[in-house]
Amino acid sequence: SSSSSSSSSSSSAPTDSTTTQHASHEGACAQDKTCCSSFPAEVLRERLGLDEQVVLSITPSATVSRATCDDVESEALQVLRSVHDFAVNRLCRILKIRADLHSKLGLAEFQVLMELANVFMHCCEGRTHRSLQPIAFRSAVYAQAKSFFDNFHHKRKTTMALVLESEKWAGTEVASEFQHIADDLCAGVKWANKELDGDLTPTAAAPTARSRAIAEENTTVLRFGDDEFHVVSAVLILIKIVDEYMDCVSRLPALHLDVLKGLVEVFQLFNSRTCGLVLGAGARQVAQLKKISAKHLAYSSQSVSLVMKVIPKVKEVLSSFVTGNAAVLLADLDRVEEDYKCHQTELKAKFAAIMKERVDYHCGSLASSNDWKKDSDAASLYVQSLVKETATLYKVLRQLLAPRDLEDVFGQVFAMFNARLVEHFSALRLGKVGKKRLWVDIQYFLSALRALDGVETYVSSLAILEHFYRSHFGEPPV
């Protein structure tokens, strides 16, 4: 009897010790409320480790044969696997029931859920020495992640579409929050190396600390590296959405291909809708604009130019997540960038098309005009109107476009002037007085355009008008 009592006492002692340790942890958690909430993965590992302590507590202290130990170990492993299988099945059912709720969690909350699920899977596989049963759980977890991202992506695409529909294509101030996002993207900061808070805001070292955002003043331009952009609200929302996708791939690296695909779709949405609203004049209906002006086109051009700078930086960040054979999918971003370049080319050509309409309007009746018979040293009304409208376009674009873009636009405008004016002047049948007036008009036109700063590279091409005059009408009057 005393021997039985002693054996019972020795077998219960470790169990009491285990219970005491567990109670100690519970007590510590009660005193420090941040313990389990701050370190859920560690707590889970500790509690999953209790099964090993329980097995040790019931192991006889007496020496037993090797065969007996093997039998006990085999039976214990089978029991452990049965327990884990039951737990996995129950958790799969819970995840299925809560699938809709989980898809609507915030990114930080869903990240915690995924971390706990991963810890559970690793612990199960490590203790049962197999990965067969947790495959079902792994599939359930991945399905939850896909559902979460689908909801995440749908919300942002919907937001982007609604913002574009209401965009007035007028300039807006740039809050410091957006400037810091641009700084992060421009610097190529790897989101995977950032310490993120619950609001998806990087708190690690960045070009400018976001904690100072509230104290900083708004600006009229968005800086991206050495470039400055005059932006509209829609493109600011776009870069904020891009920032959120970067945070998503950092928190949930397993979704890197989904994030890449989602970003491609968002970039394509912005590009196609912007093209339709501005170049296609759709904003006249959806945003109630009276007309699409040169200023609207300029803001659209600036927005497109900014996105063309952002895309390579996004590709750089994603390249640290999308590796191996999947890296070829990054070429999708290259194709999107090419689409933006084509869009930018069309926008620049649109300015020349606008001025072509003005040239044809003012010069349409030159051949039938009686002004060519009136001797005058003043420039004709048609050329004064052309100079005035060209100067207005130049004033608008110089305030908004980068110098290189300004040169590109006026290079096309001047080339169009040469072609259209030569065509209209070729139809004229002029006498001595008319030839004199045409020469005065040409000199007035060239003199006014040569006075424009920043487009000197292409102004010299307008000398074609003088060459045309000499070849068509002879030497100019003295």
Side-chain angles (χ1 to χ4, degrees):
S1 174
S2 62
S3 174
S4 174
S5 174
S6 175
S7 175
S8 174
S9 174
S10 64
S11 64
S12 63
T15 304
D16 293 340
S17 176
T18 301
T19 305
T20 302
Q21 292 176 6
H22 184 62
S24 175
H25 174 73
E26 295 292 347
C29 287
Q31 295 177 2
D32 182 7
K33 296 182 180 180
T34 65
C35 177
C36 289
S37 61
S38 300
F39 305 97
E42 286 74 3
V43 173
L44 181 58
R45 288 191 184 94
E46 177 182 336
R47 295 190 176 183
L48 286 173
L50 291 177
D51 55 4
E52 293 179 345
Q53 298 178 37
V54 171
V55 171
L56 290 175
S57 70
I58 63 176
T59 300
S61 59
T63 302
V64 295
S65 67
R66 180 63 184 176
T68 303
C69 287
D70 290 344
D71 291 341
V72 171
E73 182 179 358
S74 177
E75 291 179 7
L77 183 58
Q78 290 301 321
V79 171
L80 188 58
R81 286 178 175 177
S82 297
V83 171
H84 283 160
D85 289 349
F86 177 79
V88 166
N89 290 331
R90 298 293 292 178
L91 284 174
C92 286
R93 290 181 61 185
I94 292 173
L95 287 176
K96 185 176 181 180
I97 293 171
R98 294 182 59 84
D100 186 58
L101 292 175
H102 288 166
S103 69
K104 298 175 183 178
L105 290 175
L107 182 54
E109 295 172 315
F110 193 79
Q111 179 190 14
V112 172
L113 176 63
M114 290 296 100
E115 287 178 348
L116 291 172
N118 287 329
V119 169
F120 178 78
M121 285 189 289
H122 292 317
C123 289
C124 285
E125 293 173 359
R127 285 169 172 76
T128 61
H129 307 294
R130 63 173 183 171
S131 59
L132 180 61
Q133 181 62 22
I135 287 178
F137 183 67
R138 192 184 299 275
S139 298
V141 170
Y142 183 71
Q144 296 264 304
K146 287 281 291 182
S147 177
F148 167 81
F149 183 78
D150 288 344
N151 186 61
F152 176 94
H153 180 52
H154 176 73
K155 283 182 178 179
R156 281 148 185 81
K157 279 189 66 176
T158 302
T159 297
M160 191 74 263
L162 292 174
V163 169
L164 284 168
E165 292 297 314
S166 61
E167 180 59 65
K168 299 294 185 180
W169 300 102
T172 185
E173 286 191 336
V174 179
S176 55
E177 173 193 3
F178 298 107
Q179 183 57 62
H180 298 321
I181 293 174
D183 289 341
D184 285 341
L185 288 170
C186 185
V189 177
K190 303 299 184 185
W191 267 253
N193 297 329
K194 285 188 175 182
E195 181 182 356
L196 303 175
D197 63 24
D199 295 325
L200 313 184
T201 307
T203 57
T208 308
R210 291 193 180 185
S211 59
R212 302 201 327 250
I214 298 177
E216 295 180 5
E217 295 181 356
N218 295 348
T219 60
T220 57
V221 295
L222 181 75
R223 298 180 304 278
F224 199 88
D226 296 330
D227 300 310
E228 293 184 346
F229 298 92
H230 296 268
V231 295
V232 296
S233 298
V235 78
L236 293 179
I237 297 301
L238 175 64
I239 67 167
K240 181 176 176 62
I241 287 175
V242 170
D243 179 65
E244 291 171 348
Y245 277 90
M246 294 295 96
D247 288 333
C248 182
V249 75
S250 176
R251 292 177 182 270
L252 306 172
L255 295 176
H256 57 274
L257 293 181
D258 300 277
V259 170
L260 172 58
K261 180 182 177 182
L263 279 169
V264 168
E265 290 182 2
V266 170
F267 282 135
Q268 288 175 332
L269 171 66
F270 184 87
N271 191 42
S272 61
R273 291 302 296 139
T274 297
C275 184
L277 291 169
V278 181
L279 278 175
R284 294 179 60 184
Q285 286 75 40
V286 298
Q288 304 301 312
L289 298 181
K290 293 182 179 180
K291 64 177 182 178
I292 303 298
S293 67
K295 183 173 288 189
H296 297 140
L297 290 168
Y299 277 115
S300 179
S301 176
Q302 283 278 277
S303 298
V304 169
S305 294
L306 173 59
V307 180
M308 287 169 60
K309 294 285 186 180
V310 169
I311 290 176
K313 297 299 184 180
V314 168
K315 182 180 177 182
E316 179 183 341
V317 172
L318 289 179
S319 64
S320 64
F321 297 93
V322 184
T323 57
N325 295 333
V328 298
L329 298 176
L330 290 171
D332 291 344
L333 288 172
D334 296 330
R335 286 187 282 272
V336 172
E337 187 178 0
E338 287 299 318
D339 291 340
Y340 273 82
K341 289 179 180 178
C342 292
H343 187 179
Q344 183 69 282
T345 299
E346 292 177 7
L347 283 168
K348 291 178 179 178
K350 185 64 175 179
F351 293 110
I354 291 174
M355 293 310 299
K356 177 181 177 294
E357 292 178 359
R358 304 313 300 159
V359 169
D360 291 342
Y361 173 78
H362 292 300
C363 299
S365 59
L366 285 185
S368 60
S369 175
N370 293 323
D371 290 343
W372 300 115
K373 299 177 181 179
K374 301 175 183 178
D375 190 8
S376 175
D377 293 330
S380 301
L381 181 60
Y382 79 92
V383 77
Q384 291 184 37
S385 298
L386 274 180
V387 166
K388 181 180 179 181
E389 291 173 359
T390 304
T392 300
L393 177 66
Y394 171 80
K395 181 179 179 181
V396 170
L397 298 189
R398 190 183 184 190
Q399 293 176 344
L400 299 177
L401 298 186
R404 183 174 179 177
D405 290 334
L406 183 67
E407 283 196 352
D408 289 345
V409 168
F410 275 89
Q412 296 185 47
V413 170
F414 291 162
M416 180 277 301
F417 280 156
N418 284 331
R420 297 305 298 158
L421 288 177
V422 164
E423 182 175 339
H424 284 292
F425 291 163
S426 297
L428 299 178
R429 300 294 179 264
L430 303 177
K432 183 178 180 180
V433 173
K435 291 178 181 179
K436 176 186 175 182
R437 291 205 63 173
L438 180 59
W439 181 252
V440 170
D441 291 346
I442 290 175
Q443 293 305 304
Y444 176 84
F445 186 68
L446 296 182
S447 176
L449 297 189
R450 285 167 180 159
L452 301 179
D453 294 330
V455 293
E456 296 85 353
T457 303
Y458 296 100
V459 168
S460 59
S461 66
L462 293 172
I464 289 176
L465 295 176
E466 293 178 323
H467 297 318
F468 161 78
Y469 182 93
R470 287 187 171 90
S471 64
H472 200 76
F473 298 105
E475 287 300 315
V478 179

